[in-house]
């Protein structure tokens, strides 16, 4: 156990010393994904606007009197897209990096940070879109936005742990790539991304209270749409983060040398 | 002091697919390691009780038929594979050239690839900048250095990879096969570079099927067969 944790911390500290590598590689990745396109990474912004626009257009009729719905969807989509993208890309991370893993001795955490970095850069474009939507729908910048940053910070802190857990899952159980992919697609409907929970019973009640993603979303959203300090959500996400990091460290410590034989 | 010591090192690959092999004893191959069963899993014994010692200035040639375990041994030396048994101790900074495409990004220019390669080997941006011209000169790529890597011929890619790896001054250099891709004049240059490296008390391990190359470059020769050391001279 102690040896495992030492191994994990060793891997992580080596990766941190190589931070220039994963920062450079993440930038290359973003560039590669949009090579030879005219809009380049701005496509991420277009994609985000298209989704928020569709949902706002389809569902706003009922809540037409309530402009905060657009803000609700805009922030919900921002966080949800970030989580989905991170998790689905994590599952196939080690397979995608096979040639580097089999050809260099970089610590595994370098690949984890590379993906984390890549997801954060991509989310940056959506974030810019989100801020624009908030401003246009009449939310001036105020101190509540700072509380939202707390939620975003927790989300970013949790990201490497998410990546490690799902990357190992994908390496040890190749089927999980398809299972996780489908679950995340369905998951959008079981998470309060675009529907508002106001005490309904049945499925929605469970989907709201027992879904960890709810709290990641609410931690960022509540300060802006409801103007409250999301104490409960932040506490739940905080504990969730700690648990996730504990699992991630154990996996990294115990199994990092096995990955190269599995891919 | 640069050195490599291997003691009774073995390595098995586990196979995850269910295999049906023909009746035992039928198609035994002269190539490759032993295919065996361990519990319910099939395994390939790629290295079996390999021991040897190298000290500063040694240039070892690894020879043996296809599947003898040469690439596997180099990857164990580099630290990519943890041996399944035995011990290994290495003193010195190791760099390796396995496959031209490993560690190079096809979309990025040659210049950018040198930067990435340097960062991966733990060099700072300033150190890489300092060596950049030397690498470009040695590779003789000229203006091609600013073209994407995917636009290079095999030999050009090999020149770049070799120039980058050796200019970054590793103490131990592992090479698998492929410098044969360079033309005669480059091979001559590469040989001189390897001589220099060995004189600076480095160690070179080179796997190749080209006996003439091994004769020219190496001072020792290790023959592997079926994962076992057949001879060391
Ligand atoms: N990923 C793998 N999974 C299972 N078996 C493998 C794997 N890689 C290599 N082997 C087996 O290990 C043995 C040694 O392979 P290796 O690649 O080291 O040979 P080599 O000496 O480099 O051969 P060559 O001259 O063809 O390059 C072979 O029997 C091969 O089938
Ligand atoms: Mg080989």
């Amino acid at each position: 156990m102690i040896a495992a944790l030492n191994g994990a911390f060793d891997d992580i500290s080596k990766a941190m010393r190589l931070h220039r590598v994963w920062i450079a590689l993440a930038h290359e990745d973003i560039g590669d994904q949009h090579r030879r396109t005219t809009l380049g990474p701005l496509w991420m912004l277009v994609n985000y606007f298209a989704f928020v626009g569709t949902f706002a257009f389809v569902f706003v009729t009922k809540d037409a009197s309530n402009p905060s719905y657009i803000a609700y969807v805009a922030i919900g989509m921002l966080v949800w897209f970030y989580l989905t993208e991170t998790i689905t890309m994590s599952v196939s991370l080690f397979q995608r990096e096979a040639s580097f893993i089999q050809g260099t001795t970089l610590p595994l955490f370098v690949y984890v940070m590379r993906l984390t970095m890549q997801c954060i850069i991509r989310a940056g474009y959506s974030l810019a879109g989100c801020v624009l939507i908030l401003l246009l729908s009449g939310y001036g910048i105020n101190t509540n936005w700072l509380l939202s940053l707390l939620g975003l910070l927790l989300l970013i802190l949790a990201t490497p742990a998410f990546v490690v857990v799902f990357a190992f899952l994908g390496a040890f159980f190749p089927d999980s790539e398809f299972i996780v992919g489908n679950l995340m697609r369905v998951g959008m409907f079981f998470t309060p991304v675009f529907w508002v929970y106001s005490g309904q019973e049945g499925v929605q009640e469970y989907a709201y209270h027992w879904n960890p993603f709810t709290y990641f979303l609410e931690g960022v959203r509540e300060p802006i749409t409801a103007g409250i300090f999301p104490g409960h959500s932040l506490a739940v996400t905080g504990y969730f983060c700690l648990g996730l990091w504990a699992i991630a460290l154990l996996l990294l410590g115990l199994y990092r040398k096995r990955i190269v034989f599995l891919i | 002091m640069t050195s490599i010591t291997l003691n009774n090192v073995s390595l098995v690959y586990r196979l995850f697919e269910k295999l049906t092999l023909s009746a035992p004893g039928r198609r035994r191959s002269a190539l490759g390691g032993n295919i065996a069963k361990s519990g319910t899993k099939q395994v390939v014994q790629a290295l079996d009780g390999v021991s040897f010692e190298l000290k500063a200035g040694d240039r070892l040639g690894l020879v043996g038929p296809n599947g003898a375990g040469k690439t596997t041994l180099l990857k164990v030396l580099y630290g990519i594979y943890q041996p399944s048994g035995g011990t290994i101790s290495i003193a010195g900074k190791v760099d390796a050239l396995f496959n031209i495409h490993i560690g190079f990004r096809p979309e990025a220019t040659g210049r950018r690839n040198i930067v990435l390669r340097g960062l991966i080997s733990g060099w700072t941006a300033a150190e890489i900048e300092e060596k950049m011209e030397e690498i470009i000169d040695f590779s003789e790529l000229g203006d091609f250095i600013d073209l994407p890597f995917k636009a290079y011929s095999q030999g050009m890619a090999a020149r770049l990879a070799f120039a980058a790896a050796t200019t970054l001054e590793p103490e131990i250099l592992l090479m698998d096969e492929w410098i044969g891709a360079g033309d005669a004049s480059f091979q001559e240059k590469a040989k001189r570079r390897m001589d220099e490296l060995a004189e600076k008390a480095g160690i070179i391990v080179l796997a190749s099927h080209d006996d003439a190359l091994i004769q020219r470059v190496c001072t020792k020769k290790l023959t592997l067969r079926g994962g076992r050391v057949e001879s060391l001279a």
Side-chain angles (χ1 to χ4, degrees), chain A residues 61-99:
Chain A
T61 42
K62 187 171 92 218
D63 292 305
S65 57
N66 179 12
S68 77
Y69 181 69
I70 294 180
Y72 187 90
V73 178
I75 303 175
M77 288 282 177
L78 173 70
V79 177
W80 178 254
F81 276 167
Y82 176 76
L83 283 169
T84 325
E85 206 174 86
T86 308
I87 290 174
T88 44
M89 285 177 78
S90 300
V91 188
S92 55
L93 176 67
F94 294 145
Q95 276 92 327
R96 265 183 290 128
E97 302 281 11
S99 91

mmCIF file of all heavy atoms in Angstrom, chain A residues 61-99:
data_model
loop_
_atom_site.group_PDB
_atom_site.id
_atom_site.type_symbol
_atom_site.label_atom_id
_atom_site.label_comp_id
_atom_site.label_asym_id
_atom_site.label_seq_id
_atom_site.Cartn_x
_atom_site.Cartn_y
_atom_site.Cartn_z
ATOM 1 N N THR A 61 -39.968 27.734 -24.527
ATOM 2 C CA THR A 61 -41.377 28.135 -24.651
ATOM 3 C C THR A 61 -42.074 28.161 -23.294
ATOM 4 O O THR A 61 -42.713 29.141 -22.929
ATOM 5 C CB THR A 61 -42.130 27.167 -25.575
ATOM 6 O OG1 THR A 61 -41.717 25.842 -25.257
ATOM 7 C CG2 THR A 61 -41.824 27.476 -27.034
ATOM 8 N N LYS A 62 -41.905 27.067 -22.553
ATOM 9 C CA LYS A 62 -42.580 26.924 -21.268
ATOM 10 C C LYS A 62 -42.108 28.011 -20.299
ATOM 11 O O LYS A 62 -42.880 28.564 -19.539
ATOM 12 C CB LYS A 62 -42.262 25.530 -20.722
ATOM 13 C CG LYS A 62 -43.025 25.162 -19.486
ATOM 14 C CD LYS A 62 -42.803 23.691 -19.159
ATOM 15 C CE LYS A 62 -41.631 23.565 -18.222
ATOM 16 N NZ LYS A 62 -40.767 22.466 -18.402
ATOM 17 N N ASP A 63 -40.775 28.262 -20.361
ATOM 18 C CA ASP A 63 -40.187 29.188 -19.401
ATOM 19 C C ASP A 63 -39.876 30.541 -20.037
ATOM 20 O O ASP A 63 -38.959 31.224 -19.613
ATOM 21 C CB ASP A 63 -38.877 28.603 -18.849
ATOM 22 C CG ASP A 63 -39.147 27.393 -17.993
ATOM 23 O OD1 ASP A 63 -39.932 27.526 -17.042
ATOM 24 O OD2 ASP A 63 -38.605 26.318 -18.281
ATOM 25 N N ALA A 64 -40.664 30.892 -21.052
ATOM 26 C CA ALA A 64 -40.318 32.094 -21.816
ATOM 27 C C ALA A 64 -40.143 33.314 -20.919
ATOM 28 O O ALA A 64 -39.300 34.174 -21.163
ATOM 29 C CB ALA A 64 -41.375 32.385 -22.861
ATOM 30 N N SER A 65 -40.898 33.330 -19.840
ATOM 31 C CA SER A 65 -40.809 34.478 -18.950
ATOM 32 C C SER A 65 -39.514 34.468 -18.139
ATOM 33 O O SER A 65 -39.198 35.432 -17.464
ATOM 34 C CB SER A 65 -41.999 34.460 -17.989
ATOM 35 O OG SER A 65 -41.984 33.221 -17.299
ATOM 36 N N ASN A 66 -38.776 33.348 -18.246
ATOM 37 C CA ASN A 66 -37.645 33.153 -17.357
ATOM 38 C C ASN A 66 -36.327 33.123 -18.128
ATOM 39 O O ASN A 66 -35.893 32.065 -18.566
ATOM 40 C CB ASN A 66 -37.869 31.830 -16.605
ATOM 41 C CG ASN A 66 -36.738 31.510 -15.676
ATOM 42 O OD1 ASN A 66 -35.881 32.355 -15.408
ATOM 43 N ND2 ASN A 66 -36.718 30.281 -15.196
ATOM 44 N N PRO A 67 -35.672 34.274 -18.300
ATOM 45 C CA PRO A 67 -34.452 34.313 -19.115
ATOM 46 C C PRO A 67 -33.316 33.517 -18.470
ATOM 47 O O PRO A 67 -32.352 33.161 -19.137
ATOM 48 C CB PRO A 67 -34.106 35.797 -19.177
ATOM 49 C CG PRO A 67 -34.705 36.373 -17.935
ATOM 50 C CD PRO A 67 -35.939 35.575 -17.654
ATOM 51 N N SER A 68 -33.446 33.201 -17.179
ATOM 52 C CA SER A 68 -32.360 32.478 -16.526
ATOM 53 C C SER A 68 -32.247 31.057 -17.069
ATOM 54 O O SER A 68 -31.248 30.394 -16.847
ATOM 55 C CB SER A 68 -32.558 32.453 -15.018
ATOM 56 O OG SER A 68 -33.539 31.503 -14.687
ATOM 57 N N TYR A 69 -33.283 30.592 -17.790
ATOM 58 C CA TYR A 69 -33.175 29.234 -18.335
ATOM 59 C C TYR A 69 -32.016 29.130 -19.313
ATOM 60 O O TYR A 69 -31.296 28.133 -19.330
ATOM 61 C CB TYR A 69 -34.482 28.809 -19.007
ATOM 62 C CG TYR A 69 -34.396 27.394 -19.543
ATOM 63 C CD1 TYR A 69 -34.334 26.310 -18.673
ATOM 64 C CD2 TYR A 69 -34.322 27.151 -20.912
ATOM 65 C CE1 TYR A 69 -34.218 25.022 -19.151
ATOM 66 C CE2 TYR A 69 -34.198 25.861 -21.402
ATOM 67 C CZ TYR A 69 -34.146 24.797 -20.518
ATOM 68 O OH TYR A 69 -34.015 23.523 -20.986
ATOM 69 N N ILE A 70 -31.839 30.177 -20.118
ATOM 70 C CA ILE A 70 -30.735 30.140 -21.087
ATOM 71 C C ILE A 70 -29.397 30.049 -20.358
ATOM 72 O O ILE A 70 -28.520 29.258 -20.711
ATOM 73 C CB ILE A 70 -30.779 31.378 -22.004
ATOM 74 C CG1 ILE A 70 -32.054 31.295 -22.848
ATOM 75 C CG2 ILE A 70 -29.546 31.442 -22.897
ATOM 76 C CD1 ILE A 70 -32.239 32.441 -23.795
ATOM 77 N N ALA A 71 -29.261 30.818 -19.290
ATOM 78 C CA ALA A 71 -28.033 30.754 -18.501
ATOM 79 C C ALA A 71 -27.867 29.362 -17.895
ATOM 80 O O ALA A 71 -26.771 28.804 -17.863
ATOM 81 C CB ALA A 71 -28.077 31.799 -17.396
ATOM 82 N N TYR A 72 -29.018 28.800 -17.433
ATOM 83 C CA TYR A 72 -29.019 27.472 -16.831
ATOM 84 C C TYR A 72 -28.450 26.442 -17.820
ATOM 85 O O TYR A 72 -27.557 25.662 -17.502
ATOM 86 C CB TYR A 72 -30.454 27.127 -16.450
ATOM 87 C CG TYR A 72 -30.637 25.850 -15.668
ATOM 88 C CD1 TYR A 72 -30.586 25.867 -14.278
ATOM 89 C CD2 TYR A 72 -30.888 24.653 -16.315
ATOM 90 C CE1 TYR A 72 -30.783 24.697 -13.555
ATOM 91 C CE2 TYR A 72 -31.067 23.481 -15.608
ATOM 92 C CZ TYR A 72 -31.017 23.503 -14.223
ATOM 93 O OH TYR A 72 -31.199 22.346 -13.521
ATOM 94 N N VAL A 73 -28.970 26.470 -19.034
ATOM 95 C CA VAL A 73 -28.512 25.526 -20.059
ATOM 96 C C VAL A 73 -27.062 25.822 -20.447
ATOM 97 O O VAL A 73 -26.251 24.902 -20.602
ATOM 98 C CB VAL A 73 -29.402 25.579 -21.317
ATOM 99 C CG1 VAL A 73 -28.877 24.634 -22.378
ATOM 100 C CG2 VAL A 73 -30.823 25.217 -20.961
ATOM 101 N N ALA A 74 -26.735 27.094 -20.588
ATOM 102 C CA ALA A 74 -25.383 27.447 -21.046
ATOM 103 C C ALA A 74 -24.324 26.912 -20.088
ATOM 104 O O ALA A 74 -23.337 26.307 -20.508
ATOM 105 C CB ALA A 74 -25.254 28.956 -21.187
ATOM 106 N N ILE A 75 -24.546 27.101 -18.778
ATOM 107 C CA ILE A 75 -23.556 26.617 -17.810
ATOM 108 C C ILE A 75 -23.610 25.101 -17.704
ATOM 109 O O ILE A 75 -22.596 24.420 -17.627
ATOM 110 C CB ILE A 75 -23.775 27.270 -16.430
ATOM 111 C CG1 ILE A 75 -23.702 28.793 -16.572
ATOM 112 C CG2 ILE A 75 -22.733 26.783 -15.435
ATOM 113 C CD1 ILE A 75 -24.028 29.540 -15.305
ATOM 114 N N GLY A 76 -24.845 24.565 -17.731
ATOM 115 C CA GLY A 76 -25.000 23.112 -17.664
ATOM 116 C C GLY A 76 -24.236 22.417 -18.790
ATOM 117 O O GLY A 76 -23.483 21.464 -18.561
ATOM 118 N N MET A 77 -24.397 22.927 -20.004
ATOM 119 C CA MET A 77 -23.737 22.327 -21.161
ATOM 120 C C MET A 77 -22.217 22.446 -21.064
ATOM 121 O O MET A 77 -21.495 21.529 -21.432
ATOM 122 C CB MET A 77 -24.166 23.045 -22.451
ATOM 123 C CG MET A 77 -25.573 22.761 -22.855
ATOM 124 S SD MET A 77 -25.657 21.150 -23.632
ATOM 125 C CE MET A 77 -27.404 21.036 -23.906
ATOM 126 N N LEU A 78 -21.764 23.592 -20.592
ATOM 127 C CA LEU A 78 -20.319 23.815 -20.465
ATOM 128 C C LEU A 78 -19.698 22.715 -19.610
ATOM 129 O O LEU A 78 -18.744 22.042 -20.020
ATOM 130 C CB LEU A 78 -20.067 25.186 -19.834
ATOM 131 C CG LEU A 78 -18.619 25.508 -19.475
ATOM 132 C CD1 LEU A 78 -17.800 25.719 -20.731
ATOM 133 C CD2 LEU A 78 -18.536 26.736 -18.582
ATOM 134 N N VAL A 79 -20.263 22.517 -18.425
ATOM 135 C CA VAL A 79 -19.696 21.536 -17.498
ATOM 136 C C VAL A 79 -19.907 20.115 -18.021
ATOM 137 O O VAL A 79 -18.997 19.286 -17.984
ATOM 138 C CB VAL A 79 -20.308 21.697 -16.096
ATOM 139 C CG1 VAL A 79 -19.784 20.627 -15.159
ATOM 140 C CG2 VAL A 79 -20.016 23.081 -15.554
ATOM 141 N N TRP A 80 -21.118 19.864 -18.534
ATOM 142 C CA TRP A 80 -21.410 18.505 -18.985
ATOM 143 C C TRP A 80 -20.533 18.091 -20.164
ATOM 144 O O TRP A 80 -19.990 16.993 -20.200
ATOM 145 C CB TRP A 80 -22.883 18.363 -19.346
ATOM 146 C CG TRP A 80 -23.171 16.989 -19.846
ATOM 147 C CD1 TRP A 80 -23.403 16.614 -21.128
ATOM 148 C CD2 TRP A 80 -23.201 15.798 -19.057
ATOM 149 N NE1 TRP A 80 -23.565 15.253 -21.203
ATOM 150 C CE2 TRP A 80 -23.453 14.726 -19.934
ATOM 151 C CE3 TRP A 80 -23.038 15.518 -17.701
ATOM 152 C CZ2 TRP A 80 -23.542 13.411 -19.514
ATOM 153 C CZ3 TRP A 80 -23.128 14.208 -17.273
ATOM 154 C CH2 TRP A 80 -23.383 13.169 -18.170
ATOM 155 N N PHE A 81 -20.365 18.991 -21.124
ATOM 156 C CA PHE A 81 -19.504 18.672 -22.268
ATOM 157 C C PHE A 81 -18.075 18.408 -21.820
ATOM 158 O O PHE A 81 -17.418 17.494 -22.311
ATOM 159 C CB PHE A 81 -19.503 19.813 -23.294
ATOM 160 C CG PHE A 81 -20.647 19.745 -24.245
ATOM 161 C CD1 PHE A 81 -20.958 20.815 -25.069
ATOM 162 C CD2 PHE A 81 -21.412 18.597 -24.325
ATOM 163 C CE1 PHE A 81 -22.011 20.742 -25.955
ATOM 164 C CE2 PHE A 81 -22.472 18.521 -25.206
ATOM 165 C CZ PHE A 81 -22.775 19.598 -26.026
ATOM 166 N N TYR A 82 -17.625 19.200 -20.876
ATOM 167 C CA TYR A 82 -16.268 19.012 -20.379
ATOM 168 C C TYR A 82 -16.111 17.624 -19.762
ATOM 169 O O TYR A 82 -15.172 16.893 -20.065
ATOM 170 C CB TYR A 82 -15.953 20.110 -19.355
ATOM 171 C CG TYR A 82 -14.610 19.972 -18.701
ATOM 172 C CD1 TYR A 82 -13.455 20.318 -19.394
ATOM 173 C CD2 TYR A 82 -14.486 19.479 -17.404
ATOM 174 C CE1 TYR A 82 -12.218 20.189 -18.797
ATOM 175 C CE2 TYR A 82 -13.252 19.349 -16.805
ATOM 176 C CZ TYR A 82 -12.121 19.705 -17.499
ATOM 177 O OH TYR A 82 -10.900 19.562 -16.917
ATOM 178 N N LEU A 83 -17.085 17.255 -18.914
ATOM 179 C CA LEU A 83 -17.003 15.944 -18.256
ATOM 180 C C LEU A 83 -17.099 14.806 -19.271
ATOM 181 O O LEU A 83 -16.320 13.854 -19.230
ATOM 182 C CB LEU A 83 -18.125 15.813 -17.222
ATOM 183 C CG LEU A 83 -17.891 16.557 -15.911
ATOM 184 C CD1 LEU A 83 -19.167 16.590 -15.083
ATOM 185 C CD2 LEU A 83 -16.771 15.875 -15.114
ATOM 186 N N THR A 84 -18.062 14.886 -20.177
ATOM 187 C CA THR A 84 -18.235 13.805 -21.162
ATOM 188 C C THR A 84 -16.985 13.643 -21.994
ATOM 189 O O THR A 84 -16.520 12.534 -22.223
ATOM 190 C CB THR A 84 -19.346 14.129 -22.182
ATOM 191 O OG1 THR A 84 -20.352 14.849 -21.529
ATOM 192 C CG2 THR A 84 -19.901 12.893 -22.795
ATOM 193 N N GLU A 85 -16.472 14.770 -22.470
ATOM 194 C CA GLU A 85 -15.328 14.686 -23.355
ATOM 195 C C GLU A 85 -14.137 14.087 -22.622
ATOM 196 O O GLU A 85 -13.459 13.199 -23.136
ATOM 197 C CB GLU A 85 -14.990 16.082 -23.858
ATOM 198 C CG GLU A 85 -14.292 16.036 -25.173
ATOM 199 C CD GLU A 85 -14.087 17.426 -25.728
ATOM 200 O OE1 GLU A 85 -13.070 18.053 -25.374
ATOM 201 O OE2 GLU A 85 -14.943 17.878 -26.490
ATOM 202 N N THR A 86 -13.908 14.560 -21.399
ATOM 203 C CA THR A 86 -12.784 14.049 -20.620
ATOM 204 C C THR A 86 -12.924 12.548 -20.416
ATOM 205 O O THR A 86 -11.981 11.784 -20.644
ATOM 206 C CB THR A 86 -12.729 14.735 -19.242
ATOM 207 O OG1 THR A 86 -12.762 16.137 -19.440
ATOM 208 C CG2 THR A 86 -11.482 14.353 -18.495
ATOM 209 N N ILE A 87 -14.109 12.118 -19.984
ATOM 210 C CA ILE A 87 -14.275 10.711 -19.633
ATOM 211 C C ILE A 87 -14.212 9.817 -20.869
ATOM 212 O O ILE A 87 -13.505 8.806 -20.878
ATOM 213 C CB ILE A 87 -15.584 10.514 -18.841
ATOM 214 C CG1 ILE A 87 -15.407 11.138 -17.462
ATOM 215 C CG2 ILE A 87 -15.942 9.040 -18.739
ATOM 216 C CD1 ILE A 87 -16.646 11.156 -16.615
ATOM 217 N N THR A 88 -14.906 10.190 -21.942
ATOM 218 C CA THR A 88 -14.879 9.303 -23.106
ATOM 219 C C THR A 88 -13.481 9.246 -23.732
ATOM 220 O O THR A 88 -13.062 8.203 -24.204
ATOM 221 C CB THR A 88 -15.896 9.700 -24.186
ATOM 222 O OG1 THR A 88 -15.846 11.105 -24.347
ATOM 223 C CG2 THR A 88 -17.296 9.298 -23.816
ATOM 224 N N MET A 89 -12.752 10.369 -23.690
ATOM 225 C CA MET A 89 -11.411 10.324 -24.261
ATOM 226 C C MET A 89 -10.437 9.572 -23.359
ATOM 227 O O MET A 89 -9.447 9.015 -23.824
ATOM 228 C CB MET A 89 -10.891 11.731 -24.540
ATOM 229 C CG MET A 89 -11.561 12.329 -25.762
ATOM 230 S SD MET A 89 -11.045 14.004 -26.090
ATOM 231 C CE MET A 89 -9.468 13.747 -26.857
ATOM 232 N N SER A 90 -10.730 9.548 -22.048
ATOM 233 C CA SER A 90 -9.839 8.850 -21.119
ATOM 234 C C SER A 90 -9.847 7.349 -21.355
ATOM 235 O O SER A 90 -8.816 6.696 -21.240
ATOM 236 C CB SER A 90 -10.266 9.090 -19.669
ATOM 237 O OG SER A 90 -10.235 10.446 -19.387
ATOM 238 N N VAL A 91 -11.023 6.806 -21.640
ATOM 239 C CA VAL A 91 -11.133 5.355 -21.714
ATOM 240 C C VAL A 91 -10.177 4.782 -22.759
ATOM 241 O O VAL A 91 -9.619 3.713 -22.583
ATOM 242 C CB VAL A 91 -12.581 4.927 -22.014
ATOM 243 C CG1 VAL A 91 -12.720 3.431 -21.881
ATOM 244 C CG2 VAL A 91 -13.528 5.611 -21.077
ATOM 245 N N SER A 92 -9.974 5.518 -23.859
ATOM 246 C CA SER A 92 -9.090 4.994 -24.901
ATOM 247 C C SER A 92 -7.707 5.648 -24.859
ATOM 248 O O SER A 92 -6.917 5.489 -25.780
ATOM 249 C CB SER A 92 -9.733 5.217 -26.271
ATOM 250 O OG SER A 92 -10.051 6.582 -26.428
ATOM 251 N N LEU A 93 -7.420 6.356 -23.760
ATOM 252 C CA LEU A 93 -6.163 7.120 -23.697
ATOM 253 C C LEU A 93 -4.926 6.263 -23.966
ATOM 254 O O LEU A 93 -4.123 6.568 -24.838
ATOM 255 C CB LEU A 93 -6.026 7.802 -22.323
ATOM 256 C CG LEU A 93 -4.711 8.539 -22.094
ATOM 257 C CD1 LEU A 93 -4.616 9.742 -23.013
ATOM 258 C CD2 LEU A 93 -4.571 8.989 -20.651
ATOM 259 N N PHE A 94 -4.773 5.159 -23.215
ATOM 260 C CA PHE A 94 -3.538 4.384 -23.335
ATOM 261 C C PHE A 94 -3.426 3.697 -24.694
ATOM 262 O O PHE A 94 -2.336 3.550 -25.220
ATOM 263 C CB PHE A 94 -3.412 3.373 -22.192
ATOM 264 C CG PHE A 94 -3.236 4.032 -20.848
ATOM 265 C CD1 PHE A 94 -3.794 3.471 -19.704
ATOM 266 C CD2 PHE A 94 -2.500 5.205 -20.717
ATOM 267 C CE1 PHE A 94 -3.618 4.079 -18.466
ATOM 268 C CE2 PHE A 94 -2.322 5.813 -19.484
ATOM 269 C CZ PHE A 94 -2.889 5.249 -18.357
ATOM 270 N N GLN A 95 -4.562 3.285 -25.261
ATOM 271 C CA GLN A 95 -4.491 2.702 -26.604
ATOM 272 C C GLN A 95 -4.018 3.749 -27.607
ATOM 273 O O GLN A 95 -3.214 3.462 -28.474
ATOM 274 C CB GLN A 95 -5.858 2.159 -27.061
ATOM 275 C CG GLN A 95 -6.174 0.769 -26.572
ATOM 276 C CD GLN A 95 -6.924 0.810 -25.273
ATOM 277 O OE1 GLN A 95 -6.712 1.709 -24.462
ATOM 278 N NE2 GLN A 95 -7.809 -0.141 -25.059
ATOM 279 N N ARG A 96 -4.538 4.963 -27.481
ATOM 280 C CA ARG A 96 -4.147 6.011 -28.423
ATOM 281 C C ARG A 96 -2.673 6.351 -28.290
ATOM 282 O O ARG A 96 -2.007 6.696 -29.241
ATOM 283 C CB ARG A 96 -4.993 7.264 -28.195
ATOM 284 C CG ARG A 96 -6.210 7.343 -29.107
ATOM 285 C CD ARG A 96 -6.955 8.636 -28.883
ATOM 286 N NE ARG A 96 -7.612 8.625 -27.595
ATOM 287 C CZ ARG A 96 -7.498 9.575 -26.670
ATOM 288 N NH1 ARG A 96 -6.757 10.620 -26.902
ATOM 289 N NH2 ARG A 96 -8.125 9.469 -25.535
ATOM 290 N N GLU A 97 -2.153 6.248 -27.064
ATOM 291 C CA GLU A 97 -0.764 6.621 -26.822
ATOM 292 C C GLU A 97 0.158 5.426 -26.960
ATOM 293 O O GLU A 97 1.324 5.501 -26.570
ATOM 294 C CB GLU A 97 -0.621 7.206 -25.414
ATOM 295 C CG GLU A 97 -1.489 8.418 -25.164
ATOM 296 C CD GLU A 97 -0.893 9.681 -25.755
ATOM 297 O OE1 GLU A 97 0.076 9.579 -26.531
ATOM 298 O OE2 GLU A 97 -1.394 10.770 -25.436
ATOM 299 N N ALA A 98 -0.354 4.301 -27.483
ATOM 300 C CA ALA A 98 0.423 3.064 -27.496
ATOM 301 C C ALA A 98 1.831 3.269 -28.045
ATOM 302 O O ALA A 98 2.799 2.774 -27.467
ATOM 303 C CB ALA A 98 -0.313 1.990 -28.277
ATOM 304 N N SER A 99 1.972 4.028 -29.140
ATOM 305 C CA SER A 99 3.303 4.087 -29.742
ATOM 306 C C SER A 99 4.286 4.820 -28.826
ATOM 307 O O SER A 99 5.452 4.446 -28.735
ATOM 308 C CB SER A 99 3.243 4.704 -31.138
ATOM 309 O OG SER A 99 3.437 6.091 -31.082
#
